């Protein structure tokens, strides 16, 4: 915490010095959304390059003066929380002054900018994110406050903890981890008791694009157990993008790649090539939108696809057909086909990429 306080004090000192010299104070932050600032490393995923381009948030410029003020406001809130050893969610910060901040996304972006500017993980800034992910299966652990959580005996899923770094005593006999894109598929597998029928496993869903805590938990489970991690996604560009976030990280959070990415993640399904192999009826597939075409074209150009020839082939199948499929399409074969046939066969015969 002294490191965090010192980093904030240095920023404020810079502001005060500028004022003393009758200069307009400026905050310098990295261009987090610029692909030119990102390098791809097989062992880490997408990470920010050391000498990346920056942008200035000036206090004397009408376009950025408000953002400058909001950054100082949030820095002061973080400073107080670290000093008093208290925590707040990003939502708490937004609701402390909704009129001032205007929207939740403004708060989210500023907190990420501050984390990147100070080179300190968000968790160390005492800012928690509201969790939306679920975990179930062969796993138990102790939360920071001493609460014992057992995901094995629960008929319903457990919410991913809001302080993943604080959990300890993780125990599991799981043979693999299954990341499921959607909540509906996750719940279906839970109802079918999938995590104990095939072989003990841990199931996780980020319910779409995963939040920070879900990504941190996947990484923590990988560090703790070193067991295979498979993904079950829709066979569409959006599903592929979500899988890439777990595996290689996102551009906007590339400054924290080392804590968040798991490059060993494997693509289990739903593969575009599965659709032909299983004779899925064309009527059950969904035609691409223009947005889908653009998203797929952008994914195909990304640096990590070049080192994944088998993924590349699957994306080419998808691009050629201009059709996408949700995981639920497997119910057109039979109601419990996913948990009874599809996943067990894939896991037994190595049907992943």
């Amino acid at each position: 915490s002294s490191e965090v306080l010192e980093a904030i004090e240095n920023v404020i000192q810079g502001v005060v010095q500028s004022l003393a010299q009758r200069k307009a104070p400026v905050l310098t932050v990295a261009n987090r959304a610029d692909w030119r600032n990102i390098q791809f490393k097989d062992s880490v995923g997408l990470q920010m390059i050391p000498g990346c381009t920056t942008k200035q948030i000036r206090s004397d410029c009408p376009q950025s003066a408000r953002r400058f003020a909001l950054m100082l406001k949030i820095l002061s809130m973080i400073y107080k929380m670290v000093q008093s050893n208290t925590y707040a969610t990003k939502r708490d910060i937004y609701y402390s002054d909704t009129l001032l901040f205007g929207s939740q996304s403004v708060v989210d972006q500023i907190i990420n900018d501050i984390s990147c500017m100070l080179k300190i993980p968000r968790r160390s800034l005492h800012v928690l994110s509201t969790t939306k992910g679920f975990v179930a299966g062969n796993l138990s652990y102790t939360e920071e406050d001493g609460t014992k959580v057992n995901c094995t005996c629960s008929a319903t899923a457990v919410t991913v903890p809001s302080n993943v770094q604080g959990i300890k005593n993780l125990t599991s006999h799981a043979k693999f981890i299954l990341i499921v894109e959607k909540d509906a598929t996750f719940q279906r597998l839970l109802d079918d008791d999938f995590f104990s029928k095939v072989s003990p496993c841990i199931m996780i869903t980020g319910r779409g694009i995963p939040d920070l805590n879900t990504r941190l938990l996947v990484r923590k489970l990988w560090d703790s157990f070193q067991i295979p991690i498979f993904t079950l996604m829709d066979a569409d560009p959006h599903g592929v993008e979500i899988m890439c976030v777990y595996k290689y990280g996102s551009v906007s959070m590339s400054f924290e790649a080392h804590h968040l990415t798991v490059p060993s993640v494997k693509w289990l399904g739903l593969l575009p090539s599965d659709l032909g192999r299983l004779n899925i009826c064309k009527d059950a597939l969904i035609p691409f939108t223009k947005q889908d075409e653009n998203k797929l074209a952008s994914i195909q150009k990304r640096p990590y696809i070049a080192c994944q020839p088998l993924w590349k082939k699957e994306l080419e199948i998808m691009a050629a057909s201009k059709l996408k499929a949700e995981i639920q399409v497997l119910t057109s074969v039979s109601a419990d086909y996913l948990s009874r046939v599809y996943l067990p066969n894939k896991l037994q015969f190595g049907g992943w990429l």
Side-chain angles (χ1 to χ4, degrees):
S1 62
S2 60
E3 188 191 322
V4 180
L5 296 176
E6 193 182 332
I8 296 172
E9 284 161 10
N10 288 340
V11 171
I12 302 305
Q13 200 172 1
V15 170
V16 172
Q17 278 170 346
S18 296
L19 291 169
Q21 293 161 3
R22 297 187 180 281
K23 288 180 188 162
V26 168
L27 296 173
T28 305
V29 297
N31 266 329
R32 288 186 298 114
D34 192 339
W35 272 93
R36 288 169 301 184
N37 284 336
I38 310 298
Q39 66 178 2
F40 168 64
K41 229 175 149 183
D42 216 4
S43 58
V44 184
L46 300 175
Q47 60 176 5
M48 197 167 260
I49 56 173
C52 65
T53 61
T54 55
K55 58 184 177 192
Q56 290 196 326
I57 297 167
R58 303 187 61 85
S59 58
D60 61 346
C61 166
Q63 283 85 4
S64 61
R66 176 180 155 73
R67 195 168 187 86
F68 179 91
L70 294 181
M71 280 187 82
L72 288 191
K73 166 77 175 167
I74 291 178
L75 275 168
S76 77
M77 292 171 87
I78 290 168
Y79 193 85
K80 281 179 196 147
M81 288 192 297
V82 175
Q83 262 188 330
S84 58
N85 197 26
T86 53
Y87 290 82
T89 63
K90 294 186 297 181
R91 209 163 174 71
D92 295 333
I93 291 174
Y94 168 60
Y95 279 110
S96 69
D97 200 331
T98 52
L99 280 175
L100 176 70
F101 294 119
S103 77
Q104 180 70 60
S105 64
V106 168
V107 173
D108 298 354
Q109 283 171 5
I110 287 176
I111 286 163
N112 285 343
D113 275 342
I114 287 172
S115 174
C116 185
M117 176 175 76
L118 301 178
K119 294 186 171 53
I120 289 168
R122 194 164 77 192
R123 163 76 202 156
S124 304
L125 301 177
H126 285 227
V127 178
L128 306 171
S129 31
T130 318
T131 296
K132 66 183 178 102
F134 288 130
V135 58
N138 195 296
L139 174 70
S140 59
Y141 56 84
T142 309
E143 292 202 337
E144 195 178 32
D145 62 2
T147 309
K148 287 185 167 57
V149 178
N150 187 349
C151 307
T152 313
C153 60
S154 171
T156 55
V158 173
T159 308
V160 167
S162 60
N163 175 10
V164 174
Q165 275 96 329
I167 66 174
K168 48 191 183 295
N169 307 332
L170 284 89
T171 52
S172 175
H173 303 294
K175 297 285 181 278
F176 63 91
I177 295 163
L178 182 66
I179 299 171
V180 183
E181 177 188 348
K182 282 184 175 146
D183 193 22
T185 310
F186 180 85
Q187 296 299 339
R188 178 69 209 245
L189 290 172
L190 206 57
D191 294 344
D192 290 349
D193 201 18
F194 173 77
F195 65 79
S196 58
K197 269 185 187 161
V198 180
S199 66
C201 75
I202 300 167
M203 296 196 315
I204 292 180
T205 180
R207 298 163 76 195
I209 294 170
D211 58 18
L212 195 68
N213 293 326
T214 305
R215 290 173 63 190
L216 282 167
L217 181 63
V218 171
R219 176 62 198 237
K220 184 148 191 140
L221 293 173
W222 162 246
D223 287 338
S224 304
F225 304 122
Q226 301 277 310
I227 52 178
I229 301 181
F230 301 113
T231 57
L232 180 63
M233 305 279 151
D234 287 342
D236 67 9
H238 191 62
V240 174
E241 171 126 275
I242 289 170
M243 174 171 59
C244 291
V245 168
Y246 284 106
K247 187 175 174 74
Y248 296 122
S250 59
V251 173
S252 62
M253 292 298 287
S254 58
F255 63 95
E256 266 203 63
H258 289 272
H259 311 288
L260 293 172
T261 60
V262 186
S264 62
V265 161
K266 299 277 184 278
W267 187 2
L268 185 70
L270 186 64
L271 302 177
S273 59
D274 289 340
L275 303 174
R277 202 169 47 77
L278 298 172
N279 292 322
I280 301 289
C281 170
K282 276 263 168 73
D283 296 345
L285 306 179
I286 307 157
F288 262 24
T289 61
K290 189 76 194 133
Q291 203 177 357
D292 290 326
E293 284 183 42
N294 295 341
K295 169 75 75 190
L296 183 57
S298 119
I299 292 170
Q300 286 176 303
K301 288 191 196 107
R302 290 186 193 167
Y304 43 70
I305 296 299
C307 69
Q308 290 281 4
L310 296 174
W311 284 31
K312 203 173 165 194
K313 217 172 262 179
E314 293 293 332
L315 299 184
E316 282 162 5
I317 292 170
M318 200 191 290
S321 74
K322 289 202 166 102
L323 293 168
K324 56 185 182 178
E326 297 185 325
I327 300 160
Q328 287 88 324
V329 80
L330 296 176
T331 55
S332 68
V333 183
S334 72
D336 58 351
Y337 189 77
L338 175 67
S339 58
R340 188 176 53 83
V341 181
Y342 181 82
L343 288 174
N345 280 351
K346 281 250 170 183
L347 291 161
Q348 189 180 344
F349 300 113
W352 58 81
L353 306 179

